[in-house]
Amino acid sequence: MDAHVSASTSSPATVAVAGEDENLSGEAERLERPPRRQKQQRNNYGSNADSPDGAVLTVPSVVIRDSTARPSRLSGGGVGGGGDGAPGPSQQEIEEEQGLKYGAQHVIKLFVPVSLCMLVVVATINSISFYNSTDVYLLYTPFHELSPEPSVKLWNALANSLILMSVVVLMTILLIVLYKKRCYRVIHGWLILSSFMLLFIFTYLYLEELLRAYNIPMDYPTAVLIMWNFGVAGMMAIHWQAPLRLQQGYLIFVAALMALVFIKYLPEWTAWAVLAAISIWDLIAVLSPRGPLRILVETAQERNEQIFPALIYSSTVLYTYMGTHYTPEQPLPTTTSSPSSSNSTTTTRATQNSLASPDPGAGASSSSRSGNSRHGQRQQENNQAAAEGMPLVSFKNNLHGNAEAAGFTQEWSANLSDRVARRQIEVQTTQSGNGRRSNEYRTVTTPNQPQMEAQEERGIKLGLGDFIFYSVLVGKASSYGDWTTTIACFVAILIGLCLTLLLLAIWRKALPALPISITFGLIFCFATSAVVKPFMEKLSAKQVFI
Amino acid sequence: MTLPEFFGCTLLAFGPPFSLFVFTIANDPVRIIILIAAAFFWLLSLLLSSLLWFAVVPLQDVLAFGVVFSVLFQECFRYIIYRILRSTEQGLHAVAEDTRVTENKHILAYVSGLGFGIISGMFALVNVLADMAGPGTMGLKGGTELFFITSAAQALAIILLHTFWSIIFFNAFDTNNYLHIAYVMGSHLFVSLLTLLNADAHYWATLLPSYIVTVLTGVLAFKVAGGSARSAKRFIMCQ
Amino acid sequence: MDISKAPNPRKLQLCRTYLMTGFAFLPFVWAINVCWFFDEAFRKPPYPEQSQIKRYVIYSAIGTLLWLIALTTWIIIFQTNRADWGATADYMSFIIPLGSP
Amino acid sequence: MANLKTTPLWLLLLLQVIIVRGERTRDTMYQPILGASCFRRLNGTHQTGCSSTHSGSVGVLHLINYDADLDFLLGNPPSPPYAPMIPPHLFTRSNLLRLKEAGPKIISAVLLINKSEKMQQFSHELSCPNKYSGIGRGGNSSETCDESNTALTWNPWGTGLLHEDFPFPIYYIADFDEILKLENCFTKFNSVNFDSQALRSLCAVEVKAFMSAAVNSEVCMRRTNFINNLGGSKYCDPLEGRNVYATLYPRNSSEFIDETKLRKSNPAEKFIIISCRLDTTSMFDGVGVGAMDSLTGLATLTIVAHMLRQLLPDQNTLPDPHRNVLFVAFNGESYDFIGSQRFVYDMENLNFPRRSAQSTPISFENIEFMLDIGTLDDIRNIRLHTLHKSSTVAQKLLQQLNRYAKSSLYDFQLNIGSNAGYNMPPTSAQSFLRRDDNFPAFILNALPSNKYYHSIYDDRDNVGFMYANTSQDYTALTDVSDFKNFNANSLQMKIRNVSSIVAMVLYETLTGRQYEYKDVANPVLSDEFFYCFLQSSDCPLFKASSNPDSPPGLPLPPMRYISVLGGSQESSGWTYRMLGYLLSQPQPQVLKENCTQLPLFYYSGFNGTGECRLTTQNYTHALSPAFLINNYNWSSGQYSTWTESTWSQFSARIFLRPSKMHEITILSIGIVVFIISFCLIYIISSRWEVLFDDVPASNAAFPPPTNC
């Protein structure tokens, strides 16, 4: 058992890399280009069929994605330049607001799965007593806190958490090395093995304890069939292709299982110590200039790679949107002939000019810089990141729960066309029913609509690390049998998550996700169970409402 | 197992807030976030008040003391969240999916009020509900079997009251209407202190007045939010 | 992934793979297949691969149904006769209930 | 960072320190009831005892004062299920079977309340204890006695409820305060008006005593031994304990441990077995000291051993220096002679004593005869039971016994009757006779007069024991005329007499000379003995017979139910020490620090100043051979197959059970409120701009948020 547990604890640690958003599969993207044409023909958009493809093909060449290019662009735009003095800041604001807006949306898109995960854990803790009592211990926690002395327990907990943390750190470094050395097979094998373990062994354990808790008889053929189906479908969903909802469901369940394992096998104080320690490690690993996770993600971006699909939760927002380039040979009339109110065409032109101008410079700068392939990739990266138009929430994570937002920062330091892009995204999203918008917004970029194509699905990704440790916190809190504590922890963690995302939007620099939430969670957990609980119990016993 | 009791009380206390949430909050991420933020602030206020209660050992059995101060703390935090929301209005206006959130100031008030109400209702009731799921009911050592249903009803009243109070309160600060502020504080104090009577099972003495207050506050909030008898009539007439 | 945006051959291939996988005693995979490709098979405007997909989906549906029936009958049989079967039932059991024969 | 890391821990410290003041609502809803529960035992073919449902059995309290109250419950009661509170005198077989027939729908639990005023008898053992495991009463009948003929049964008052299976838990409440709680709750809520009970909330009790095992030992052992998944679960354990044996003289026939060689007994050795039974049992967990049904026998054995130790000279001076006396206290005899069956089994396989004892095994050839001390309910009519009238040993023994019993010198004024034939009392000797009915086994057994055989009421009142607490020396014999101011027919004196007689007979048998001293057993010893076993293990005798450094016993009588592996083996442990102390020879020359290896043992002794003694006592394993033999036929009845089910907890609590109407009202209120609010709010939210008409016009135009 220990062996399994150890393996599985280490394994999600390997999900350090969180690449750019097309994590689901690169091939998916490649395969999706043809249908664009098809679709377009079906929808017979105003623009001709080839331009989008050409567009996509020219994506690499469109490399002016540096904020450095911005003044040139401003000067470049003739009419647009004049018009740009005012729009500049306004666009600045727009950018802000889009960031926050999608922030808002995606905060919710994170809230739901996180809450679900917590729900599973709390329900299990309260219904299956097996997960409530620690009798077997992990390999990593040699001190079992058996003495009644608080001081002894304290140093036991600290020692345990130190050991555990060092294991985690080692795993991370090992992963970095593997990744630098491009041993993808090893890493993938690792991931598959660990998810296999979770999906089969721990699910088996879970099923057994569930049935035992309710004293339900079951025969082996049925049990084996259930396990086999559940496990294989899970492997397919996580490592291959399956409906998104299914994949999300599996990931949530796996995270919940993992959290339950921690709750079950960590001694009481150690669990709290580990929570504290891990959030600190989180800070270090992300914020320190040579933090391992930062290194990881940076390499990932240099290589322009997708992350490992396993154990990264991705909630998908559908953006019908394509790259933000504008091919000069494309005749303007197509846009003017686009279905839009005539009064908006002026603004349209302005935007188009402002859009049209950079591209030559772009080509130049790209050719000039073509030598530096690394940089080129990076910028292409930016471009893609921009294309995702999903900046704020696309921060990533590994099991240590490191909110990694390198990609995000780049996206945010991206330049005007990104913003225009985002404005377009926004328009599109509003049309695709994600929200209601007033008409004046729509007019601005109507002309670009024809060019906007369904690209592959984009979404926020949150490493299961957060899920797991949030759930551990809440589960631990609920294991004391007091619901007010549980609720307090829950609210505190969600608020922490909100704050993290907010700071992410404001500071535009990589921030870890755990520290704020976990700190809030811990403070509220202990404060509630120590101070608030007696008060509330006194009140509710006397039926006094405040 | 008196699960029926459990579900009955749960639906009674949290059914209306739930439907409010479903129909008015759930579609707008910004509102959800504001709701949770409000809940968080209420938690802070509760934490402070219970710290006070905890610190002042001699008065720990005098609940009135704790109640009064927690009411004050809650109103303080209501004010704080008011300031915060108003100061971030610009941002919100930009962020909001659905601009009514900002253009109709009452929605902010309503959402945060609901947040206050739901969390306070939960804190007051959730442990009682958990105990309700057992095989027994109240009344073995004192206490009547009305305990649960009355608790649930009271909780519902409190949840609604918090919502109304926030609407009135926010608007009052917008329009410097100190009367309304006083009313909010007063009614909150009144209701909370009134529930002290529950200890002696004077349920009608507490429930009736607090529901009357709820209705009054509701009407006031309705007016404040721009409703009027005429509009109500139009509404009912379905025009 | 979002199936609606995958190219048709891809869809067909996926659907087929799911069907084939299902034969390894994996009715759940069949069920997924049905739910996943139902719209593709029956709701979408026709396209060349659709007939194939439709057939696969129907096969999967039948398979799922058969498995469901078989499993439920087996479970009913087992639960009703567990006490009578004695030792064999015990050796077959994943969870033997406490306090009952 | 560092302090941020440690803050939660300090907060946790704070949390540990704080005693939570506020009480949860459930504390006011529930009130725990302390008591002892009946539990489930299984044998090769049946399950006996009782079990609650998995989540605990809930029943409305109903006090039973007369049989009429039962009729009320069993007629058609207003709001079943009920939990009748039954006083002992109504806890009869007929009543219990009626309740059982009513089924768990009507009767979900039974509370036995300790109001024993009207109680005449209370024994739930079979009227023929260990009915099927004896030699049978001759002919082809396998039963030890004839239940139809109460004159010939060994427990005429037995109802046999101990061997019934009940679908509901039975909970015994001894403490009067707890009983008062129950009765107050009943009178306050239930007994107001029985007809309108269905409309009221009633005082109900929830008993949790869920038993894991089911069907019979075979099934539950199979399930226990079959690991069918990761965490194998335990269903039942075999009843298991330790026999205590000790020899009068240390044996000097040691053997070298050589696993390869077959063990051989030493034919020269001759043993006289004096045996009795160590354990008792009752229906409820942890209650029942078995004062009369088994403790008198153990007392006699102990005192006989002590007296012989005091009387007899060195073994070499005996006419036959190879003769020795083997005292054995068998454990688990209440459950088909577990201890003696195992003893016999070991002897057959030359496995007694075990190799680890490093002495030659004892075989049946070594045994001269066996004197088994059964139940001594009534000292005045003890009888010596033999299987064959013609047994000369028996006649000699009887004649000797009576000589001393009637001797004017001691004036015991007893008469030991005799009884030959197959109708033997249910004692350990049965196991020996069952193997070979020519085995010279004789049973000292009184006519059954114990109305509380194997029950919770077989306590010191039943034997009329009063602790004199004369802190006099009990280690020395006393003159026959010295009563130590005990009443002549007090328990202590009775035991003194009977044990003196037995000891004298053994003295004569061993030395060949009549016993004509005036020294007899010391009544103080029996006084101390009964105090230890009936009232408190923290007693002078146990103190004296344990190591000075070892902690004192609990202020409770030792548990004398055999229980299972890992269960409390208190009684065997104390008996082991006590026999060892009373049978051992002091070794003044050995220093304390050298006195660590058995057979040397360091006792604190009578006056607490430690002394080193050469001991002879030891344990043997009392686990039925049925659990050793591979694929043993469980229904064969050859060996005891008793197992005890495992359980997670025993608990009972009273509370108010709401009436159906109350529940339904609340539920419907909730549902109605919810639905109304749901619709109302939907309408409002869909047409809210109508309601609030003076919102800015720009907004009024907007469509409302639709729930997607």
Side-chain angles (χ1 to χ4, degrees), chain B residues 48-140:
Chain B
L48 281 184
S49 43
S50 41
L51 268 174
L52 185 75
W53 172 82
F54 201 77
V56 186
V57 181
L59 289 180
Q60 268 176 359
D61 294 335
V62 186
L63 277 177
F65 165 78
V67 169
V68 168
F69 272 93
S70 70
V71 167
L72 293 183
F73 275 119
Q74 287 177 61
E75 295 307 329
C76 295
F77 273 86
R78 207 192 293 276
Y79 179 68
I80 291 171
I81 199 172
Y82 165 78
R83 302 268 4 133
I84 291 174
L85 286 178
R86 286 291 176 258
S87 58
T88 57
E89 202 132 60
Q90 278 316 98
L92 280 175
H93 179 75
V95 171
E97 289 280 313
D98 153 3
T99 50
R100 291 179 306 171
V101 170
T102 49
E103 286 168 12
N104 176 356
K105 296 186 181 313
H106 302 303
I107 289 184
L108 270 185
Y110 157 75
V111 171
S112 54
L114 192 61
F116 260 58
I118 287 179
I119 191 75
S120 71
M122 278 198 165
F123 261 64
L125 208 59
V126 70
N127 274 334
V128 180
L129 284 175
D131 293 346
M132 223 181 285
T137 185
M138 200 65 179
L140 183 61

Side-chain angles (χ1 to χ4, degrees), chain D residues 476-663:
Chain D
L477 303 181
T478 59
D479 185 90
V480 66
S481 56
D482 177 6
F483 280 18
K484 305 270 182 196
N485 47 47
F486 280 107
N487 181 341
N489 48 24
S490 67
L491 178 66
Q492 291 89 337
M493 291 304 283
K494 287 182 189 164
I495 297 299
R496 179 199 83 152
N497 299 349
V498 65
S499 43
S500 306
I501 295 167
V502 175
M504 292 168 185
V505 171
L506 289 171
Y507 177 87
E508 183 173 351
T509 320
L510 285 171
T511 57
R513 300 191 308 271
Q514 278 201 20
Y515 180 80
E516 57 264 314
Y517 312 102
K518 289 185 64 65
D519 288 351
V520 294
N522 191 336
V524 177
L525 180 56
S526 71
D527 188 43
E528 296 295 345
F529 176 93
F530 280 107
Y531 175 67
C532 290
F533 275 94
L534 288 179
Q535 285 176 261
S536 158
S537 317
D538 186 5
C539 59
L541 181 55
F542 284 175
K543 266 204 199 67
S545 56
S546 56
N547 188 300
D549 312 334
S550 66
L554 305 166
L556 302 166
M559 290 251 307
R560 296 186 58 233
Y561 167 61
I562 173 172
S563 88
V564 297
L565 184 65
S568 90
Q569 300 292 346
E570 286 171 329
S571 67
S572 60
W574 286 121
T575 313
Y576 172 88
R577 296 181 186 181
M578 190 180 59
L579 266 184
Y581 173 61
L582 295 175
L583 267 179
S584 54
Q585 291 154 320
Q587 308 287 323
Q589 74 284 6
V590 184
L591 297 171
K592 180 179 180 182
E593 45 274 21
N594 309 343
C595 188
T596 54
Q597 276 292 3
L598 283 173
L600 288 180
F601 190 84
Y602 197 81
Y603 287 100
S604 63
F606 163 66
N607 46 12
T609 63
E611 50 184 344
C612 188
R613 302 180 78 107
L614 176 64
T615 63
T616 64
Q617 83 281 16
N618 203 341
Y619 291 119
T620 66
H621 202 183
L623 168 67
S624 165
F627 300 99
L628 307 177
I629 301 165
N630 291 336
N631 46 49
Y632 169 79
N633 175 9
W634 295 88
S635 52
S636 70
Q638 187 189 358
Y639 292 118
S640 163
T641 54
W642 284 100
T643 54
E644 180 186 295
S645 166
T646 59
W647 61 80
S648 57
Q649 63 166 345
F650 287 144
S651 73
R653 52 180 187 174
I654 54 173
F655 52 85
L656 220 56
R657 197 195 71 183
S659 62
K660 282 274 160 290
M661 216 178 68
H662 178 68
E663 291 180 350

Side-chain angles (χ1 to χ4, degrees), chain B residues 18-29:
Chain B
F18 172 75
S19 27
L20 278 173
F21 179 82
V22 166
F23 288 126
T24 60
I25 310 289
N27 314 319
D28 183 356

Side-chain angles (χ1 to χ4, degrees), chain A residues 24 27 31-32 35 38-39 204 207-208 211-212 215-223 225 228-230 232-233 236 240-244 246 250 318 454-457, chain C residues 1-8 10 13-14 17-18 21 24-29 32 36 45 67 71 74-75 78-79 82 91-100:
Chain A
L24 281 180
E27 64 188 1
L31 286 166
E32 280 163 9
Q38 235 181 18
K39 190 173 191 175
Y204 180 92
L207 179 67
E208 179 187 336
L211 292 173
R212 195 162 278 168
N215 203 17
I216 304 166
M218 182 180 259
D219 56 320
Y220 253 109
T222 318
L225 188 75
W228 169 246
N229 277 272
F230 184 83
V232 172
M236 285 171 80
W240 195 54
Q241 288 171 350
L244 185 76
L246 192 73
Y250 266 110
L318 202 62
Q455 212 181 16
E456 90 180 72
E457 38 199 56
Chain C
M1 63 175 288
D2 179 12
I3 197 64
S4 62
K5 290 208 300 313
N8 296 334
R10 177 70 182 157
Q13 183 200 346
L14 265 177
T17 331
Y18 264 75
T21 329
F25 306 103
L26 290 169
F28 186 42
V29 173
I32 297 169
W36 198 15
W67 266 106
L71 199 61
W74 161 247
I75 288 175
F78 181 81
Q79 299 292 0
R82 195 174 53 78
Y91 294 134
M92 271 179 152
S93 286
F94 172 62
I95 293 290
I96 305 171
L98 302 178
S100 62

Side-chain angles (χ1 to χ4, degrees), chain A residues 224-397:
Chain A
V224 168
L225 188 75
I226 291 173
M227 289 303 305
W228 169 246
N229 277 272
F230 184 83
V232 172
M235 296 301 272
M236 285 171 80
I238 293 175
H239 294 285
W240 195 54
Q241 288 171 350
L244 185 76
R245 290 275 164 249
L246 192 73
Q247 190 192 25
Q248 293 172 338
Y250 266 110
L251 289 176
I252 289 176
F253 181 73
V254 164
L257 266 187
M258 202 60 225
L260 285 172
V261 167
F262 276 131
I263 294 175
K264 163 79 181 167
Y265 294 107
L266 286 185
E268 171 115 36
W269 291 32
T270 306
W272 298 114
V274 164
L275 280 176
I278 215 122
S279 44
I280 293 157
W281 159 247
D282 195 1
L283 275 175
I284 297 165
V286 177
L287 294 183
S288 71
R290 301 301 301 159
L293 294 151
R294 159 162 290 177
I295 298 175
L296 268 177
V297 176
E298 277 169 359
T299 26
Q301 284 156 354
E302 284 165 13
R303 297 179 190 172
N304 175 20
E305 281 163 351
Q306 60 187 6
I307 47 163
F308 311 100
L311 303 172
I312 292 266
Y313 178 89
S314 98
S315 97
T316 294
V317 198
L318 202 62
Y319 285 116
T320 58
Y321 163 75
M322 167 195 90
T324 74
H325 49 281
Y326 174 85
T327 42
E329 61 269 19
Q330 182 178 8
L332 293 183
T334 54
T335 63
T336 45
S337 70
S338 69
S340 78
S341 54
S342 58
N343 63 348
S344 70
T345 41
T346 54
T347 42
T348 310
R349 269 164 214 277
T351 13
Q352 276 159 359
N353 296 342
S354 66
L355 267 171
S357 52
D359 285 346
S365 69
S366 75
S367 56
S368 69
R369 288 217 201 111
S370 58
N372 185 348
S373 69
R374 185 172 181 275
H375 211 70
Q377 276 181 341
R378 166 70 63 90
Q379 281 148 347
Q380 172 190 358
E381 193 58 33
N382 293 355
N383 170 26
Q384 290 184 343
E388 280 133 24
M390 226 295 330
L392 182 54
V393 257
S394 71
F395 69 90
K396 301 93 181 171
N397 249 312

Side-chain angles (χ1 to χ4, degrees), chain A residues 1 150 154 158 161-162 201 204-205 208 212-215 220 269 272-273 276-277 280 283 436 480-483 519 522-523 526 529-530 533-534 537-538 540-541, chain D residues 1-2 4-16 18-26 28 54 210 226-233 702-704 706:
Chain A
M1 172 55 70
L154 185 59
L158 293 182
S161 53
L162 276 184
I201 292 157
Y204 180 92
L205 196 66
E208 179 187 336
R212 195 162 278 168
Y214 294 100
N215 203 17
Y220 253 109
W269 291 32
W272 298 114
I280 293 157
L283 275 175
R436 305 261 169 271
Y480 296 128
D482 175 36
W483 286 96
T519 317
L522 287 173
I523 291 171
F526 291 115
S529 54
K533 183 163 154 253
E537 281 178 350
K538 234 177 168 44
S540 59
Chain D
M1 273 317 152
L4 173 125
K5 169 174 185 164
T6 50
T7 2
L9 292 173
W10 291 120
L11 279 167
L12 193 58
L13 269 173
L14 181 71
L15 182 62
Q16 303 281 342
I18 282 171
I19 26 95
V20 178
R21 218 174 287 79
E23 64 168 2
R24 278 285 283 265
T25 321
R26 73 167 85 87
T28 64
H54 184 245
F210 180 65
F226 169 53
I227 304 301
N228 59 336
N229 48 29
L230 294 182
S233 50
F702 287 154
T706 58

Side-chain angles (χ1 to χ4, degrees), chain C residues 3 11-20 22-23 26-44 47 49-66:
Chain C
I3 197 64
K11 287 180 200 164
L12 182 59
Q13 183 200 346
L14 265 177
C15 188
R16 182 182 169 71
T17 331
Y18 264 75
L19 180 69
M20 288 309 159
F23 282 109
L26 290 169
F28 186 42
V29 173
W30 276 339
I32 297 169
N33 200 15
V34 174
C35 307
W36 198 15
F37 284 94
F38 189 81
D39 290 0
E40 287 299 324
F42 298 104
R43 300 256 176 83
K44 285 282 168 66
Y47 52 90
E49 293 85 351
Q50 199 179 35
S51 58
Q52 283 285 85
I53 292 183
K54 199 174 290 178
R55 187 160 350 110
Y56 291 155
V57 168
I58 290 169
Y59 287 162
S60 318
I62 294 169
T64 320
L65 208 63
L66 288 181

